Amino acid sequence: MKIEFAPLHVPLERRLQTAAVVQWVFSFLALAQCCLAVFVLLCLSDYWPLALLYVGWMYIDRDTPVTGGRRCYWVRNWALWSYFRDYFPISLVKTADLDPKHNYLFGFHPHGVLVAGAFGNFCTEASGFSRLFPGLTPYLLMLPFWFRVPFFREYIMSGGLVSSEKSSASHILSRPGGGSVAVIAIGGAPESLEARPGALTLQVLNRKGFIKLALKHGAHLVPVFSFGENELFDQMENPTGSALRAAQERLQKVMGIALPLFHARGVFQYSFGLLPYRQPVHTVVGKPIPVEQNLNPRREEIDALHGLYLDSLSQLFEENKAHYGIAAQRHLNFI
């Protein structure tokens, strides 16, 4: 394989963008493990009382990830995130005003490999969420497992990440006075196994839990499509029925996390590595679907709203795809 190296003379701005993305990839792939290792070493050192105190803190603070988390506006506004945004670049596109008197459930599609669009737009202020949607506070839902990792939990909560447990979403969507947004990657971990350039397959046909949540709390539904999300990484071929896919699905069922074997570019060369490609990501927020509160929705009501949501998502995609380089004959595939 011929290796294409990066040029020696690269503008400082681009070097800073690459450094910001290296930090982001590291935080996704290795920061939790490093935090756990530090905690274990602390337990085995003369400073073990500090570890004991932190265990006590985790116990006292155990409900925070399911009660809105603990965001830090200073972290969300780090200059680092502006460089992260510009690497791709990432943009947030508004198609309709959202009344802050209501709570909203954003359905984010597609999941992609590392949900770069969701992180950049909803866990930082780099793309101007608060400016575009004044009065709204976004919460990106993440697997509960990560909130049990010492120290790492504090970092991810600072950006506005919260647990994806049902009680967590219910807490956000039931807040009086409105203004809260629960952002859910509807396809979840299984959809990441389909993420590769050109993919338009969404795992959404049998996912109706978010519809029931919206009905129970009267939260308005908003489809969100992130154009370019699947273009950031290549992935090893893992067709349904293959040994690799079977192993990935087994891991997902046991641990709740998927393990897509992805690759893209490196820091000093463009031929292989774990950094995403420099491809634009345009996250388009659709028009809200009004939802009347129904504490005990019937299956027919859930199915009807689910169908309406899929129609709205398809319409959002069709109305915007030409702007972002997708051919007219290509359409979303729901499975």
Side-chain angles (χ1 to χ4, degrees), residues 189-190 193 245-258:
L193 300 179
R245 187 58 169 264
Q248 290 172 320
E249 290 176 345
R250 193 174 302 115
L251 177 67
Q252 194 271 323
K253 288 179 180 178
V254 172
M255 298 188 63
I257 59 174

Side-chain angles (χ1 to χ4, degrees), residues 1-329:
M1 178 180 65
K2 184 178 179 181
I3 300 176
E4 181 186 358
F5 288 97
L8 291 176
H9 302 290
V10 177
L12 177 61
E13 187 81 6
R14 287 178 69 87
R15 291 189 185 278
L16 292 173
Q17 292 168 6
T18 301
V21 172
V22 168
Q23 181 273 340
W24 173 71
V25 171
F26 171 78
S27 70
F28 258 89
L29 301 183
L31 184 57
Q33 294 87 332
C34 290
C35 288
L36 187 58
V38 168
F39 179 75
V40 171
L41 290 174
L42 197 62
C43 290
L44 299 176
S45 72
D46 292 337
Y47 298 99
W48 63 265
L50 293 178
L52 187 61
L53 285 173
Y54 188 76
V55 169
W57 163 251
M58 287 184 65
Y59 178 77
I60 294 170
D61 196 53
R62 64 189 181 280
D63 292 332
T64 299
V66 297
T67 54
R70 184 170 46 251
R71 70 182 52 226
C72 174
Y73 291 97
W74 174 67
V75 174
R76 288 176 58 87
N77 285 280
W78 278 350
L80 171 78
W81 304 130
S82 296
Y83 292 112
F84 170 79
R85 174 200 64 203
D86 294 340
Y87 173 91
F88 300 92
I90 291 174
S91 65
L92 184 63
V93 182
K94 175 182 177 180
T95 62
D97 291 328
L98 299 181
D99 188 345
K101 294 180 181 178
H102 301 292
N103 291 321
Y104 297 89
L105 194 159
F106 281 16
F108 182 87
H109 311 269
H111 183 285
V113 173
L114 296 181
V115 284
F119 180 87
N121 289 308
F122 305 122
C123 295
T124 81
E125 287 297 331
S127 59
F129 180 91
S130 296
R131 173 177 50 82
L132 290 172
F133 300 102
L136 296 183
T137 302
Y139 300 85
L140 180 61
L141 277 67
M142 189 177 188
L143 289 173
F145 169 82
W146 300 112
F147 296 92
R148 301 187 184 102
V149 181
F151 309 127
F152 183 69
R153 67 192 295 274
E154 318 299 339
Y155 174 68
I156 57 179
M157 281 196 289
S158 68
L161 284 153
V162 296
S163 173
S164 60
E165 293 173 71
K166 183 180 177 180
S167 60
S168 176
S170 294
H171 177 85
I172 295 166
L173 299 176
S174 62
R175 284 187 165 177
S180 294
V181 179
V183 183
I184 302 177
I186 304 299
E191 193 174 270
S192 68
L193 300 179
E194 303 284 351
R196 50 177 48 85
L200 292 174
T201 298
L202 303 180
Q203 296 201 18
V204 67
L205 284 182
N206 295 317
R207 295 181 177 266
K208 300 179 182 179
F210 73 104
I211 298 292
K212 191 174 181 179
L213 267 174
L215 281 166
K216 282 191 171 183
H217 299 288
H220 293 196
L221 283 166
V222 180
V224 178
F225 194 88
S226 197
F227 291 89
E229 190 74 41
N230 282 340
E231 311 304 312
L232 303 181
F233 295 96
D234 287 309
Q235 188 172 164
M236 286 185 63
E237 290 299 325
N238 58 342
T240 301
S242 65
L244 175 57
R245 187 58 169 264
Q248 290 172 320
E249 290 176 345
R250 193 174 302 115
L251 177 67
Q252 194 271 323
K253 288 179 180 178
V254 172
M255 298 188 63
I257 59 174
L259 188 63
L261 299 182
F262 63 92
H263 57 93
R265 53 158 291 186
V267 177
F268 303 111
Q269 45 74 33
Y270 303 137
S271 301
F272 60 90
L274 298 179
L275 293 192
Y277 296 122
R278 283 183 179 264
Q279 293 289 337
V281 177
H282 304 283
T283 303
V284 183
V285 179
K287 299 174 183 177
I289 303 170
V291 177
E292 293 292 331
Q293 186 173 25
N294 183 346
L295 295 177
N296 295 291
R298 301 191 307 274
R299 179 179 293 274
E300 304 80 48
E301 294 169 319
I302 295 172
D303 289 344
L305 183 56
H306 186 254
L308 179 60
Y309 177 84
L310 295 184
D311 290 342
S312 297
L313 176 59
S314 293
Q315 182 180 356
L316 177 68
F317 176 80
E318 295 295 333
E319 289 177 349
N320 290 276
K321 66 182 182 182
H323 301 308
Y324 305 118
I326 298 179
Q329 68 271 22

